[in-house]
Amino acid sequence: MHIQLSERFSYGKLLRFTFPSVMMMIFTSLYGVADGYFVSNFAGKNPFTAVNFIMPFLMVLGAVGFMFGAGGSALIAKTMGEGDREKANRQFSLLIYTTVVCGALIAALGMIFIRPVAAFMGAKDELLENCVLYGRIILPVLPFYMLQFEFQSFFSTAAKPRLGLAVTAAAGIANIIGDALLVAVFRFGIAGAAAATAISQALGGIIPLIYFAMPNSSNLRLTKTGFDVGTFAKVCANGSSELMSNVSMSLVNMLYNVQLMKYAGEDGVAAYGVLMYVNMIFLAAFIGYSVGAAPIISFHYGAGDSTELKSLLKKSSMIISILSLVMFTSAELLARPLAMIFTGGDEGFLALTLRGFLIFSFSFLFAGTAIFGSAFFTALNDGLTSALISFLRTLVFQVAAVIMLPLIWGVDGIWVSAAAAELTAAVITVIFIFSKRKKYCYL
């Protein structure tokens, strides 16, 4: 059954509409997990460390795609709620064309600066060369990587979340097959893992580009457009929270790597890499739900339907709470088998990873609140509040925790940092939601 943004949403209908977005984000996260599994088991610990060491820098370069996707989908859905489909298509087209140009320029800069950045972070000798090799194979497809993240938001706005899931699943399967062949069979090592990821990212950006360029049955289609400064400024302002979130998260990951190199050496960086793979998959559920629900919230906000806004917030809060408990319980129960997938029989590496896993998993109890809260305000076109939540959650609280807590508890303080930061961010998010209730009439 095809669900329209304008409908009234029960729990069942809301879950059916957002489920493809959840799975889409999980499949995207599996790209990195596939790389990690094959590299750690078939290429070795040093290449595995290199992938995790340089990935935050690559994520920073691609973060513009999150900004255009989140900010753009909120504005486009609001425009559709106001009844102007033609304008919505022009806004959509502007963002896609702009992304291609920005992506090419950012990729060129990344190729130039990847070596000095990796060296500045502390990579040396073989680790440095592996970081540069991995990055320079992936960077040429950066425009498609950025488009891929945008289309994950735009498929929901186009009321085609299942199609978005199918595209992402195809790209994810291509990545896993590529890793199996290039890393496990032909033994191309870290270069093979990078090539497999690059192929999957290209597919994830090119296939939707072709779909929206052709006549289709969705709410959106690429069309002729001019550069609208007002639209572009609104999208950047509204999507700044997602840009801030991803840039901050990547910078914090770099800081975690620096701290772990100091307190635990390369094993600590590798252990953190394992945690980040699991963290990406678990947080993908919260992010995917938020991405899927955001266009619905934006549409009803644009239509002035406060009754449905209240219902959506209430139902979403319940869903996020249940997901949080499920994620925490799953992480605690599955800590050992998940850690063993990546540790390749190294008992010291396994023990360090397992210890970190059991402590770090408490962050899943609180992370969903701030993730959804930020997306909720983005959907209401309140980019400032959304950006503030993201800034505090992903940068301020994380940096403060990861610098101070290791001074008290050593390596354990690094693992505790994530939970402490997420708890503080959740409290701040609840305060913002209550303080803004009269302005937006959702409580």
Side-chain angles (χ1 to χ4, degrees), residues 198-209:
I199 291 169
S200 69
Q201 290 176 356
L203 290 174
I206 291 173
I207 294 173
L209 197 61

Side-chain angles (χ1 to χ4, degrees), residues 67 137 170 239 253 335:
M67 178 178 70
I137 292 173
N253 285 345

